[in-house]
Each structure stands twice: as C-alpha cells, then as structure tokens.
Amino acid sequence: MNPIEESAVVFEPTARLLHDLTAYVPRLIAMSVILIAGLILAAFLTWLVRRTLELSGFDSFSRRIGLSELLERSGIPSPPTRLAALIVRWTALFLVFLAALSALNLEIVNELVRRALDFVPNLLVAAVILVIGHLLSDFVADGVAIGCVNADFPLAGLAALAARLLVLFFFISVALSQLRIGQQIITAAFSILFGGLVLAIALSFGLGGKDLAKEWMEQAVKKKTQPPAEGKGETLSHL
Amino acid sequence: MIAPLSLPDQVESELKSVGTVDILVGIPSFNNAGTIGHVVNAATAGLHKYFPDQKVFLVNSDGGSTDGTREIVLKAQLENPNTLIVKHPLRHLARMSTPYSGLPGKGSAFRTIFEIAKRLKAKACCVMDSDLRSVSPEWVELLAGPVLIQGFDYVSPLYARHKYDGTITNMIVYPVTRSLYGKKIRQPIGGDFGFSGAMAEHFLSRDVWETDVARYGVDVWMTTTALTGNFRTCQAFLGAKIHDPKDPGTHLAPMLKQVVGSLFSQMEATFDSWKDVRGSEALPIFGFQWEAGLEPVNINTERMVSQFSLGVQELKGIWEKILSPQTLAEVLALLPAAPGGFAYPDSLWVRTVWDFALAHKKRVLSRDHILGALVPLYLAKTVSFVLETMQLTGKEAEARVEKLALNFEENKSYLTEGWEAKT
C-alpha cells in the first residue's frame, strides 16, 4: 500500500463521517428548534389551561361531581386544575419529543413514533372509560344503598358493594379491551362471572327462597287489594 | 310567551255554547270511579245551595281513566235532592269531562281546568281531589266564596287532621314554606284550592307546563306562585280530610322525593322573593273551626328507628357529602338512645333540612339520591315527634308544630348564608 492509499484509508471514513454529520446538522438543528419551540409552547399551553380552568371554577365543579374525591381516593391529592395542567404539560412534551425525533428522519425512529401515535387515542379512550366507570360505579352504589335502606333491606351495604364491583369490573374490561390487552380472556371472564352471578341469584332465590318469595308475593297482593284492617298495620299518612 | 293550550274540538264547541260562568269547579282524576261520584254530588249540592243565582260549571279533567270515571262524572246525580234545604228549584248543573293533554299528572289536569276557566271567564274557581271521601257541599262555598265575595285570589285549605296525619307537611313543607315566604299557610300542598280567574290566567302564563310541575309538583307551585306574586291569599277551614286508603310505607320514598323535590325546586326558582323575608304573618281564615272526630293512626316507631339506624350504618358516606360536619356528627350521635327516649332536636332538624336544600341547589350529588337520603332522617324526626307528643292533645301537638316552624324562621340565616356562599 502506497502512502496515498494509506491516507485514503484513514481519511475516507473520516470524510464520510463528516459528510454524514454535515448531512445531519440541518436535521439536528431542526430537532433543536422543535424542542425549544415545543418546550415554550408546552409551557404556554400549561399556563393557558391552568388559568382557564381556575377562572371557570373547575375545582369547585370537580368537588360537586365527586372528581376531587375520586382523585384523593386514588392517592392524587393535587387539585384537579393542577392535575389537568400537568396532563397537558406532559402530553405536550411527549408530542414535542416525538416531533423532534421525527425531524431526524430515521426509519426506526419514524416507525416508533408512528406506533406511539397510533396507541395514544386508545390510551386516552381507555382513561376516559375508567373515569366514567368510576363515577358511574359511585352513582350506582349510592343509588342501591339508598334504595335498600329505604326499603328496609338490611344487606344494603353488601348490595351496594356488589353493584359497585360489577360496574367497575365491566368498565375495566372495556378499558382493557380498548388497550387490546387480553381481549378474549376478559370477555370470557366477564361472561362467566356475570352469567354465574345471575345463575347463582336465580338458583338461590328459586330454590332457597321459594317459600319466602311465595309469602312475600302473597303479602304484596294482599296489601294492594286490601287496606290495613282497623287497628292493624301502619296507617301514618305522610302528606 | 306561552302558547295557549289547545282543547279538543268538541270541548271548544261545548264551551262556546256555555259562554261565560261565575263559578267553575274543577276535579282532576285518574281511575277514581269509587269516589268521584261523591265528589261531584257534593260539589253539585254546594253550588245549588250556596250559589243559586250564579252561573256555574263543573269540569272533570281526566288522565285517561279506564274504570268508567268519566261516565260517572257525567251521570252523577243527587240521590235525594230534598236533602238540600233550598227555596229555588234545582237546575241541571252544566258539566263536562275531558281528557287532558301534556305530560301525565295532576299539573296537566289543572292546566286544562285553568284554560277552561279562562275561556269561560270564570270569576271564581275551585279544585278538589277526586279521591276524597270527606268532601261536603260546604267545601265549594268555603273555597269559592272568599274569591267571589271577598275578592281574594287564592284560597288555601285548612283541615282538621290527626296529630300524626300529614307528617311531611308538618315536619317539612309547612315550616319551610312559612319561613321562606313569611306567611303562615298551614296546608301548602292540601290539594283542594280556590282561586280567581285572574289567578288562573297567571298560572297559565307561567312556563312550567313541560316540567315536574305538570306531573306532580303543582300544589306547592300554585301556593308558591300565589305567595310570591303578592296575590291576596287566605285559608278556609274545610273540616276533616279523608282520602281513599293507600299503603303509606310502600309510597313513602317516592312521595317524599316528589314533594320535597318540588319544594326545593320552587325554593331555587324564587330566591329573590324570599331571601330578605324574616318572620311570618297570619293569613285570614274563613269557615267555622271545629274539632272533628278523627280516625286513630297506627305507627310502628320501632320499625322507623330501625330504618334510621340502617341509614346511619349504610348512608354515612352519602350524608357526609350533604350535611355539614357538625350536623352530621349530631345526627350520628342520636343513636343509641334509650327505648322510648329517641329525640331529634328541632334545631338539628332545621339544619338538616337546610343542608339538604343547599345540597339540592348545589347538586352535590344526583338530586334523586339527595332526596332519597333524606328519608331515614325524616323517619327519625317523625319518630321523635310521635314520642314527644304521644300524651298530648291535638291542640298541644299543633303547638309543637308551630314551635318547630318558629325554629325554621329563626335559623333562616343559615340557609341564606349557605345559599349565597360560592362553594
């Protein structure tokens, strides 16, 4: 190998590296610009969301609908306004980060970004489903507890808990399906649990409580057709 | 502007042939074949006896009865007209039975009656429940007379009732209405009322006929509208009020939700009218007041206390969202009480009701849940009242109701301050 060839061996990779680096410089500059602008935009969006929610009384509204309580119970003591601002901030930063990576125009990075963006809507929908499920489970459990107490049913607490769990289980199943996690297992588990529960109730009432049911129905019919005899039964007129 | 209610063609043409009337009696109904004949006959007798020279009309506004209620209204006749001691010959009483339109309920039935009163330019009107067994001819005179003769716009009923009859009225509706609007109106949801033609037109002009007022909240709405509109209001003593028997236990929760829900909704709609009202004044009373022989009332206080106890056990979390911490602590401390010694102090009950009204206004929970959660507390207050007044006469028990109402008035600032607070 002559000296010229030797120098070519040394300089060629360096030149290639320099060439490649030179080619990437605009992309790196673009990435930096996106990152800096994105950070500023994220900070502005965070401020805007927080200010808007504060002015519109979002914290009071959240207290009224039970969202604050839900967050506290889940171990998140932040006021909902601050939490919403945090969510906006980190979502914005995440998107900025993805946009910045896209600026590099690397195949593997592009694929990663595409997949991440594909999953974001599912993640958001699953989160919304879980929040709705939690609120609805509270609503149903409260309704069952109140209804049972007003019907003088002693197992009101148990009935309310069962109703809450059933609603929660249903919504968690839907959320997991949305995230494409164990779809078939969840569907099967829900069907088995729900079907089993209905069957168990039907059997226990049908077999175990048939006499009780008969007696209760007879009393109900009697009550409907006959007013209480004088001196017997409660005759308090509330209105 | 509310669109006028359109009536069936046949009704329109019948009304045209009638022209105008002085007095109109309205009877809303739904499957009341067993009792409505008596109500129609009593009204007919009352109109003949007390208003022989006036042009009168009777209208039944029916919700689609399938038991022949409407036929009974049209055919009802006084079995023995000689029971009425009158100089003049009895005329046939013009009457009409028409189905009402709109949301199913007493309010829609009343709307049709108001509309007919307006078309006939009635000077005085009265409405009576169709399930009454104790209605007498005098009711027509007492309800329509103050309007026609004395120029009042609204006549609210007064009944002779057992001390334990009408406990929702006694524990909640009367004291709340009195303290809010500053008028001692004893039966704000009595069901039988008298009113002027102008009052009927005013009722019709309100935009409420697609709301709960059309379904079940019309009684308290009428009373509130009369009181807040500065219409001349009085009371008429009608004697005993005996309805068709119902099973009270089965209907308590929905009944309380409807009545108290309507009361709270009116409270919200009329804030500007009541926020500065303090104290209360008596209203003129017509009719000779006598002590009626009343049927005994059976009460199972043990069952009611046990239901309250179940509420303490299971609804604490819900009450926490509705009641102030101090009120909740005091409510939870009511148990355990010595047998027969259960007592729910008036001041605590007043704060309980005001807290529920505030929670209803601020919608801290679903309104249906808020009202449902009040039931065990109401039962507890009722038991407390029953135990306290067991040895008292009706008059003495009435004095206790007055004392409670006064307590509501004295603690009204608790409500107004909470109402105007931001959170």
Side-chain angles (χ1 to χ4, degrees), chain A residues 60 63-64 69 139 142-143 145-146 148-150 152-154 156-157 223 227 231-239, chain B residues 161 164-168 247-248 252 255 259 297-298 300 303 307 310 314 321 362 364 366 369 372 375-376 378:
Chain A
S60 316
R63 260 197 300 281
R64 280 206 300 275
E69 192 196 344
F139 179 82
D142 283 356
I146 291 167
C148 288
V149 167
N150 289 342
D152 213 5
F153 180 63
K223 254 188 199 173
K232 287 181 183 172
E234 198 163 288
T235 55
L236 182 68
S237 154
H238 297 275
L239 276 186
Chain B
R161 305 185 81 169
Y164 303 142
D165 192 11
T167 36
I168 294 181
D247 183 350
L252 172 61
M255 189 161 68
V259 171
V297 173
N298 303 322
N300 185 344
R303 186 190 64 76
Q307 203 165 327
L310 186 63
E314 305 293 353
K321 296 174 192 166
K362 292 174 184 172
V364 298
S366 124
H369 288 177
V375 175
Y378 156 74

Side-chain angles (χ1 to χ4, degrees), chain B residues 180-181 224 228 263-278 358 361 412-413 415-421:
Chain B
L180 287 183
Y181 306 108
T224 308
T228 55
L263 182 68
F264 285 170
S265 297
Q266 283 310 305
M267 197 186 270
E268 200 172 342
T270 57
F271 175 65
D272 287 338
S273 302
W274 58 258
K275 65 179 176 184
D276 298 323
V277 174
R278 293 291 178 270
L358 292 170
K361 187 241 173 187
K412 189 175 168 182
S413 56
L415 175 73
T416 45
E417 282 161 18
W419 200 277
E420 289 175 307

Side-chain angles (χ1 to χ4, degrees), chain B residues 133-191:
Chain B
R133 292 183 179 278
S134 59
V135 61
S136 71
E138 283 65 40
W139 285 33
V140 177
E141 187 217 3
L142 290 162
L143 291 173
V147 177
L148 203 65
I149 300 160
Q150 301 275 348
F152 281 91
D153 284 300
Y154 190 69
V155 186
S156 179
L158 257 184
Y159 306 108
R161 305 185 81 169
H162 188 279
K163 59 185 175 183
Y164 303 142
D165 192 11
T167 36
I168 294 181
T169 301
N170 294 347
M171 298 295 111
I172 304 175
V173 183
Y174 166 55
V176 167
T177 309
R178 169 177 153 172
S179 61
L180 287 183
Y181 306 108
K183 307 282 182 198
K184 290 177 181 156
I185 193 155
R186 187 64 184 83
Q187 300 289 338
I189 51 170

